[in-house]
Amino acid sequence: MSNKKAILVYTFLLVIPYILSLALIGIAFNALVLHSASLWRTIIGSIVGSFIMLAVKVTVERPLEIILDFVNNKFLRFLVNSFWITQSHRKIISNLIVDFVLSGVSTWGIRQLFTQNQIWGSLLGVVIAAMFVFTLIGAYLEYDLLSVDGAE
């Protein structure tokens, strides 16, 4: 796989869904928690969000391993490795910290960008639809490479 194709697959299959997952955490938190603007409640939401993101990262371990086998670019290998968390406890903890901060930023950002009525309305559906579309594009770009059946 060329580096350009690997970057496209990585972007559509991992980066964009990761950002949209953070948006989902921010939307869900602001939609479900009354007085979500309190610092204490935002910290609790960020803790929960970081563990949700850890669970999401565990599910993409195999595609990451496959992509890593075909990537030669050092920067791209670094990016792929940053999502690959089962290698060490240090990476799990550092990912939890990064996801904690990003979940907090997402929660705050959603609250700043959208009104409460927009958050309670169709915003969640729009983000889920976008995640679905981008994941489909990423899977389509590299279906043969990421398929479970090996080429015989």
Side-chain angles (χ1 to χ4, degrees):
M1 168 186 333
S2 70
N3 282 333
K4 285 182 181 182
K5 194 168 186 180
I7 289 170
L8 276 176
V9 170
Y10 182 75
T11 301
F12 282 104
L13 205 55
L14 299 168
V15 174
I16 294 173
Y18 178 76
I19 293 167
L20 292 174
S21 294
L22 288 169
L24 286 175
I25 289 168
I27 294 165
F29 178 78
N30 286 302
L32 294 173
V33 176
L34 192 58
H35 306 297
S36 60
S38 113
L39 180 62
W40 171 247
R41 289 184 176 148
T42 301
I43 289 171
I44 297 301
S46 297
I47 291 170
V48 172
S50 65
F51 281 100
I52 290 171
M53 292 307 292
L54 182 68
V56 168
K57 287 179 182 177
V58 168
T59 64
V60 297
E61 289 289 313
R62 181 65 181 140
L64 286 175
E65 185 179 351
I66 293 169
I67 291 172
L68 200 57
D69 289 340
F70 292 96
V71 172
N72 297 325
N73 184 311
K74 288 182 181 183
F75 179 69
L76 189 56
R77 287 184 75 78
F78 169 76
L79 287 177
V80 172
N81 272 322
S82 67
F83 275 86
W84 199 5
I85 58 171
T86 58
Q87 293 176 339
S88 71
H89 293 295
R90 183 179 55 92
K91 283 183 89 172
I92 292 172
I93 291 169
S94 63
N95 269 275
L96 280 171
I97 291 168
V98 168
D99 290 337
F100 169 80
V101 170
L102 292 176
S103 292
V105 168
S106 172
T107 300
W108 178 82
I110 293 293
R111 200 169 36 245
Q112 299 304 312
L113 291 173
F114 301 100
T115 67
Q116 196 64 34
N117 286 334
Q118 290 172 320
I119 293 170
W120 287 338
S122 61
L123 186 60
L124 189 64
V126 169
V127 172
I128 288 174
M131 184 182 291
F132 183 72
V133 167
F134 284 111
T135 304
L136 282 176
I137 292 170
Y140 175 76
L141 287 173
E142 214 35 71
Y143 175 77
D144 292 333
L145 178 68
L146 298 175
S147 68
V148 177
D149 321 334
E152 296 182 30

